Amino acid sequence: MIEIKKLTKQADNKLILRGIDLSIEKGETVAILGPNGAGKSTLLKVLATLIKPSSGLVKINGLDLKKNHLEIKKLFGYLPHSSLLYDHYSPLENLVFFGKLYGVTNAEERAIELVKEVGLSFFLNEPVKNFSRGMIQRIAIARSIVHEPELLLLDEPHTGLDQGAISILNNVILSMKAKGTTTLMVTHDFKQAAEICDRIIIIKNGKLVDDFKLEDRALNLVSEKYQLQVEGVS
Ligand SMILES: Nc1ncnc2c1ncn2[C@@H]1O[C@H](COP(=O)(O)OP(=O)(O)OP(=O)(O)O)[C@@H](O)[C@H]1O
Ligand SMILES: [Mg+2]
C-alpha cells in the first residue's frame, strides 16, 4: 500500500526527515510514536501530498507521489492538527461540501449518516464556530472519512475527545480496517495505539528507530520499547 525509500525532508537548512525506509501493507493499522519535533507530522504531510520530499521515493498503491498526486489525493483521508472545517458552515454543509469535492454520490445522505455516527445529529445545522474542541474534532473525523478512503492518515486523532468519542473513533478505525482500509496514526497516546494498532513505529530525530508488530494489545511492550528507544531506559 505504502512504499517509502530513503525519504528525506529538508526545510530552512534543517533535516527534518533523515532517510526513512518504510513499507506498509494494505489493511495494516500502524501507530507512529515519537517525541515532539521528531518529524511525525512532517511524514504524514508528505504522504498527504501537502509538502514535497527533498529526496527519496514514495509510492502509494503503486503510484509515484511525484507524478500522480492528483490520483493519490482521492485515495486517502487526512486528519491534521487543524480541523480544515469552515467555521460559518454547519456540520451538514461542511460534509456535503467535502463530499461533493471528492465526488461522493448522495453526499447529503452520507453527511447525515456520518454526523449521526459521531453523535452530533442534534447539532446538524448549527454553525461549527459555536462548537467545543471535542465537537469540532468529531466533525473533522467525519470529514476525513466522508469519501470512504482506502488510506487514513490521522495526526493525533484522539486529542480533545471524551471517552464516548474515543470509542466512536476507535470503532470507525476498526470497522474501516475490516473493509481493508489502511491506517497510519500519529499519536502520543500509547493506550489508544495499543488498543487499535497491529504495528508500532517509533520516529526520533527524523529517523525510524523501531518498528514492531503488536499482538494482544500489549500496552506494556509499547511503553518499554518507547522508553528504550526515546528515553534510553532499559
Ligand atoms: N516548514 C518548516 N520549516 C522549518 N522547520 C519545520 C517546518 N515544519 C516542521 N519543521 C520542524 O521539523 C521538526 C519536526 O516537526 P513535526 O511537526 O514533524 O514534529 P512532530 O513529530 O509532529 O512533533 P509533535 O509531536 O510536537 O507534533 C520540528 O523541529 C519543526 O520545527
Ligand atoms: Mg505533530
Side-chain angles (χ1 to χ4, degrees):
M1 177 82 201
I2 303 177
E3 201 66 51
I4 300 173
K5 283 192 182 137
K6 296 185 179 166
L7 171 67
T8 72
K9 175 66 191 176
Q10 188 165 3
D12 298 343
N13 286 330
K14 192 188 163 205
L15 256 185
I16 304 172
L17 299 176
R18 301 164 179 257
I20 303 257
D21 286 293
L22 179 65
S23 152
I24 292 169
E25 300 293 324
K26 181 176 163 61
E28 277 193 299
T29 313
V30 183
I32 305 176
L33 311 181
N36 293 138
K40 306 178 299 295
S41 296
T42 304
L43 175 61
L44 235 52
K45 281 180 199 162
V46 168
L47 292 172
T49 69
L50 292 176
I51 56 174
K52 285 185 181 154
S54 301
S55 67
L57 180 86
V58 180
K59 280 187 172 180
I60 299 182
N61 261 0
L63 299 165
D64 190 331
L65 200 74
K66 272 190 207 141
K67 297 173 198 152
N68 310 86
H69 66 269
L70 282 179
E71 265 172 89
I72 288 176
K73 270 189 198 298
K74 292 179 200 148
L75 292 176
F76 65 80
Y78 174 53
L79 180 74
H81 286 252
S82 56
S83 75
L84 305 182
L85 299 170
Y86 290 98
D87 246 18
H88 293 275
Y89 281 8
S90 68
L92 180 64
E93 288 164 335
N94 266 290
L95 295 181
V96 167
F97 173 79
F98 284 104
K100 286 187 175 162
L101 202 64
Y102 282 107
V104 173
T105 48
N106 308 324
E108 184 155 342
E109 220 171 281
R110 173 81 178 140
I112 293 168
E113 171 194 303
L114 278 171
V115 175
K116 191 173 169 201
E117 203 171 334
V118 298
L120 292 177
S121 289
F122 193 71
F123 300 92
L124 189 67
N125 295 304
E126 290 277 323
V128 167
K129 68 175 161 56
N130 297 338
F131 284 15
S132 72
R133 183 172 178 201
M135 288 163 76
I136 290 170
Q137 183 69 348
R138 288 181 186 220
I139 301 300
I141 290 163
R143 185 203 53 75
S144 70
I145 58 170
V146 71
H147 53 309
E148 299 185 82
E150 284 180 51
L151 171 63
L152 269 180
L153 303 170
L154 309 175
D155 202 344
E156 302 187 36
H158 295 93
T159 304
L161 297 181
D162 64 25
Q163 292 307 312
I166 286 175
S167 306
I168 291 169
L169 171 61
N170 290 356
N171 287 334
V172 163
I173 294 171
L174 291 173
S175 67
M176 288 182 71
K177 180 185 174 68
K179 289 181 204 157
T181 304
T182 311
T183 299
L184 215 56
M185 174 177 87
V186 171
T187 186
H188 293 292
D189 189 333
F190 295 177
K191 184 166 174 274
Q192 302 311 329
E195 193 89 1
I196 47 178
C197 294
D198 43 33
R199 183 174 165 194
I200 308 279
I201 64 175
I202 301 177
I203 293 183
K204 184 182 173 185
N205 287 333
K207 279 188 177 161
L208 209 153
V209 293
D210 211 342
D211 179 355
F212 56 96
K213 298 257 182 211
L214 200 65
E215 278 166 21
D216 306 324
R217 302 174 176 180
L219 178 56
N220 284 347
L221 180 68
V222 179
S223 309
E224 274 167 33
K225 294 253 195 191
Y226 189 89
Q227 286 191 350
L228 184 67
Q229 293 297 350
V230 176
E231 289 153 17
V233 182
S234 59

